[in-house]
Amino acid sequence: MTVTTAAPPAAPAVRPPAIGGLARRFSDVATLTGRNLVHIAREPLQLSDVTVQPVLFTLLFVYVFGAGVVLPGGGSYKNFAISGLLALNLTTSSMGTAVGLSNDLNSGVIDRFRTLPMWRPSVLVGRSIADVLTAAVCAAIVALTGLAIGWRPGGSAAGIAGGFAVFLLFSYALSWGCACLGIVSKGPESAQGIGLVILFPLAIVSNALVPTQHMPAALRFIANWNPVSAVTAASRHLFGSPNPSASINAWPMQHPVAASLLWSLVLLVIFAPLASLLYRRRASD
Amino acid sequence: MTSALMIEAHGLTKRYGSTLALNGIDLEVPKGAILGVLGPNGAGKTTAVRILTTLATPDGGSARVAGHDVVREKAAVQRNIGVTAQDATLDEVLTGRQNLVMIGRLSGLRRADARVRATELLERFDLTDAADRILKGYSGGMRRRLDLAAGLVTRPPVIFLDEPTTGLDPTSRVRMWDVIREMVADGVTLLLTTQYLDEADELADRIVVIDHGQVIAGGTSAELKTQTGGARLEITLSQPHPGAADALGPYVTGVVDVSHDGRRLRAPVPSTTGLATTVVRALDQAGITVDDVEVRQPSLDDVFFALTGHPTRDADESAAASTESDPDPSAAAVSEPHVRDLEVARP
Ligand SMILES: Nc1ncnc2c1ncn2[C@@H]1O[C@H](COP(=O)(O)OP(=O)(O)O)[C@@H](O)[C@H]1O
Ligand SMILES: [Mg+2]
């Protein structure tokens, strides 16, 4: 190897500013958010989860189920289904948080971060922000696919924006739960496995893809109180789409927007501090 | 700071479950010095480095780096150190350049400064061509160089290298030594761990030998080598020759050990240059033909044996394992010449 023998510039040691400043925290979070986005863009599996899968699911569900489902109270299945597909895709893609964090924790990169004078929580905060940005891309792809096949939201512009906001907030809250899973799991495969077992039923036993009216009593009860149902119903309400759940006599179905905001808040209040605690415990010895 | 010590540790202890990884380690490294921490696998080297670099909390004792306490003033310590851990700590999915820029940003450099510094380091470590490729395609040697560069982004005054050449092929290893020498030319303080005496010899001003979490010896490399009785000569003859041992007499410093078949001869020798040539010429003049000649510099095993009277734990364990799990007596016999060899070599 040709070690450059030209004397290294006698510049003074670069003295990083003291940590703790708000600007430093923002900058650390932004750096790690950018890094995580590069990861998602370069991992074919994670990338397809938020690009190919939403298109595929949207087409499959609309054309396969759409033919057979009759909505109580009437309305087009297509207009009903897009909110449900947003729910399904965003719920399952939040698993990326668990997998990505678990990958990091099982590689040496966290040790590198821990020797740097950076704001420690930025590892988790940067992860959650990258994931909510990814969720936004995923939501946009579902919406565009929907528009292409004839989805026409009937609500106001503010309503439509609100419908997406409700989803992204929920997705953000859920990603903190997935962060906990990523921290406690042994590795990315087990994080993925456990995540699927929790998130898939959560997305399916809900009003997302079929009206709950014809479910057996026990499932119907679960579905009516499932946060995914609240979020989906809220978006249907705000999008001005058919929302059969509005006739169900359960508090979250009667007040879907309030219920979905409450659910997101509860998830955040529980899982964000828990994730920090678990992370601090795991990344120390 | 009242003293010129850049690294000082007193009575560090650390327990993992039932393993006492560190059992009271003391270290002192003055400003600008290079300390080699030499020890076999499991001696506690990595644990010591992890404590000094704020990654692990000691159970007992205290340590200061660049004048700051490693437990109570973590952030101040972190601003003064560069670390290259034993295992890779780079981001496999980013490019070499992205890794260095990210580390610069997370160390508080402005974006432009981080970019300039990354380019500078990539050039210095001969990684310019690979700079914009992701790490998955890097060779082992390239990774190690990038990991080293990652520790230098902020030009830290104190640097820790944990086994920087373990797992590298001989060529990469020598290249790495050059890189490290160049790196310390700017007057930084360096703590380097290694399992190889020759590496510590090449790079360090002072060496401490650790075993079972304790410092068992310290000194310059010459002092340590003296304790082990210098180098060893090993010769294989084409045919046994009764005069061979006598012919070697003038060049060795102890008893010449002749193998059962009379073809292999071993003896302690002084570490003089050209010794192999001299010996072969002398044997040739006595009408003795030589198949193979080797002058072996003392290894960590030799230092260990000389210091403790037992081989390194690795050798211990493999010998124990082979006698325990394999009742075949020939298995035990395999490890025997190794030990006898060292006994003969003892001063
Ligand atoms: N995180 C850990 N958990 C359990 N045991 C550990 C851990 N780290 C180190 N040890 C044990 O502590 C001892 C010293 O290890 P280490 O410091 O890695 O030695 P070295 O770097 O010299 O090979 C070993 O017996 C090792 O098994
Ligand atoms: Mg080690």
Side-chain angles (χ1 to χ4, degrees):
Chain A
M1 166 175 141
T2 53
V3 177
T4 323
T5 41
V14 185
R15 303 302 300 192
I19 58 160
L22 205 58
R24 258 315 293 283
R25 294 184 178 192
F26 272 120
S27 134
D28 287 347
V29 169
T31 302
L32 288 175
T33 300
R35 173 246 178 197
N36 292 332
L37 289 176
V38 171
H39 269 246
I40 293 164
R42 286 191 186 151
E43 301 278 8
L45 269 178
Q46 281 201 48
L47 190 63
S48 88
D49 270 3
V50 294
T51 53
V52 180
Q53 178 185 300
V55 175
L56 216 67
F57 275 14
T58 305
L59 297 179
L60 280 177
F61 278 98
V62 167
Y63 290 109
V64 175
F65 285 73
V69 175
V70 178
L71 298 180
S76 109
Y77 182 76
K78 211 176 277 173
N79 283 342
F80 166 88
I82 296 304
S83 292
L85 285 158
L86 285 167
L88 177 67
N89 280 298
L90 294 189
T91 304
T92 54
S93 81
S94 70
M95 214 143 59
T97 308
V99 174
L101 200 54
S102 182
N103 258 325
D104 283 352
L105 283 162
N106 284 286
S107 77
V109 76
I110 296 283
D111 270 355
R112 167 66 65 188
F113 293 156
R114 288 181 55 218
T115 61
L116 299 178
M118 59 185 258
W119 188 50
R120 268 239 219 163
S122 58
V123 172
L124 293 178
V125 179
R127 168 69 56 193
S128 70
I129 292 179
D131 289 329
V132 80
L133 292 176
T134 313
V137 170
C138 179
I141 291 177
V142 173
L144 289 174
T145 312
L147 285 172
I149 61 173
W151 170 56
R152 295 294 174 259
S156 65
I160 294 170
F164 281 106
V166 161
F167 271 125
L168 292 182
L169 177 67
F170 179 66
S171 171
Y172 186 73
L174 203 57
S175 81
W176 282 97
C178 290
C180 294
L181 175 62
I183 297 166
V184 297
S185 66
K186 282 214 175 68
E189 287 84 12
S190 88
Q192 171 114 33
I194 299 170
L196 204 68
V197 165
I198 296 172
L199 295 176
F200 207 66
L202 192 70
I204 296 297
V205 184
S206 74
N207 61 12
L209 298 166
V210 291
T212 55
Q213 271 86 347
H214 303 296
M215 289 182 179
L219 281 188
R220 194 165 60 218
F221 177 79
I222 295 173
N224 288 339
W225 287 86
N226 183 343
V228 174
S229 296
V231 178
T232 311
S235 93
R236 283 179 184 140
H237 174 72
L238 292 165
F239 284 163
S241 302
N243 180 20
S245 299
S247 63
I248 292 171
N249 194 15
W251 186 82
M253 296 300 99
Q254 291 301 312
H255 308 89
V257 177
S260 66
L261 294 181
L262 264 177
W263 266 119
S264 298
L265 216 64
V266 167
L267 291 178
L268 266 178
V269 166
I270 294 174
F271 287 124
L274 184 62
S276 321
L277 183 79
L278 293 170
Y279 174 75
R280 237 175 303 148
R281 194 171 294 172
R282 170 127 184 212
S284 70
D285 74 270
Chain B
M1 230 187 306
T2 52
S3 70
L5 290 179
M6 286 301 264
I7 302 173
E8 53 178 319
H10 298 292
L12 287 182
T13 60
K14 179 75 182 177
R15 180 181 284 284
Y16 288 110
S18 62
T19 310
L20 197 52
L22 291 187
N23 187 11
I25 291 260
D26 297 316
L27 296 172
E28 289 191 345
V29 191
K31 193 169 182 347
I34 303 169
L35 177 72
V37 175
L38 178 67
N41 223 340
K45 302 182 295 298
T46 297
T47 306
V49 169
R50 287 179 68 84
I51 289 173
L52 293 172
T53 56
T54 76
L55 285 173
T57 313
D59 295 333
S62 66
R64 301 177 79 78
V65 172
H68 302 287
D69 188 283
V70 297
V71 177
R72 277 171 290 135
E73 303 166 272
K74 279 195 164 73
V77 171
Q78 287 163 351
R79 278 198 295 279
N80 283 285
I81 59 172
V83 188
T84 302
Q86 181 171 356
D87 303 313
T89 57
L90 297 163
D91 190 325
E92 287 284 304
V93 180
L94 300 186
T95 66
R97 187 190 307 281
Q98 283 172 328
N99 265 287
L100 295 183
V101 171
M102 174 177 76
I103 289 164
R105 294 288 286 144
L106 293 175
S107 306
L109 301 192
R110 282 178 304 139
R111 192 185 305 277
D113 291 344
R115 289 225 179 98
V116 169
R117 185 67 179 142
T119 305
E120 211 171 278
L121 285 166
L122 288 163
E123 197 169 309
R124 182 161 165 194
F125 286 91
D126 201 20
L127 290 166
T128 303
D129 291 342
D132 298 304
R133 293 213 308 265
I134 65 170
L135 256 55
K136 281 176 179 162
Y138 276 36
S139 71
M142 288 159 75
R143 269 162 217 259
R144 290 306 283 168
R145 297 210 295 280
L146 187 65
D147 224 326
L148 211 60
L152 300 181
V153 170
T154 55
R155 300 176 206 274
V158 185
I159 291 171
F160 294 87
L161 303 180
D162 194 4
E163 301 201 21
T165 67
T166 300
L168 293 187
D169 60 74
T171 320
S172 310
R173 190 154 172 257
V174 173
R175 281 176 167 189
M176 187 60 92
W177 285 355
D178 288 341
V179 169
I180 294 170
R181 274 196 213 97
E182 150 121 358
M183 197 171 96
V184 297
D186 329 349
V188 298
T189 306
L190 172 66
L191 186 150
L192 156 106
T193 78
T194 180
Q195 298 191 38
Y196 310 111
L197 181 60
D198 60 338
E199 182 162 288
D201 187 13
E202 283 281 338
L203 300 172
D205 304 327
R206 275 183 66 80
I207 298 173
V208 297
V209 183
I210 69 170
D211 185 32
H212 298 282
Q214 284 180 305
V215 175
I216 58 170
T220 63
S221 128
E223 284 163 1
L224 285 176
K225 278 185 174 169
T226 309
Q227 294 185 56
T228 67
R232 251 164 266 351
L233 173 70
E234 299 189 7
I235 288 181
T236 308
L237 305 178
S238 311
Q239 280 147 11
H241 194 291
D246 286 341
L248 286 179
Y251 310 103
V252 304
T253 56
V255 186
V256 178
D257 175 51
V258 183
S259 65
H260 294 305
D261 66 4
R263 283 187 57 211
R264 275 190 298 282
L265 291 83
R266 298 185 178 123
V269 291
S271 306
T272 41
T273 52
L275 185 76
T277 322
T278 315
V279 166
V280 172
R281 200 171 287 149
L283 291 173
D284 187 43
Q285 266 160 19
I288 304 167
T289 42
V290 176
D291 273 358
D292 190 43
V293 60
E294 185 185 359
V295 178
R296 198 162 58 79
Q297 293 305 317
S299 66
L300 174 63
D301 282 333
D302 303 327
V303 173
F304 246 71
F305 198 83
L307 289 171
T308 66
H310 66 78
T312 59
R313 199 189 313 188
D314 273 358
D316 255 353
E317 275 165 6
S318 56
S322 64
T323 40
E324 263 167 38
S325 60
D326 191 349
D328 179 4
S330 68
V334 172
S335 61
E336 205 188 316
H338 174 63
V339 175
R340 197 179 51 202
D341 170 22
L342 289 166
E343 268 168 0
V344 171
R346 280 175 82 184

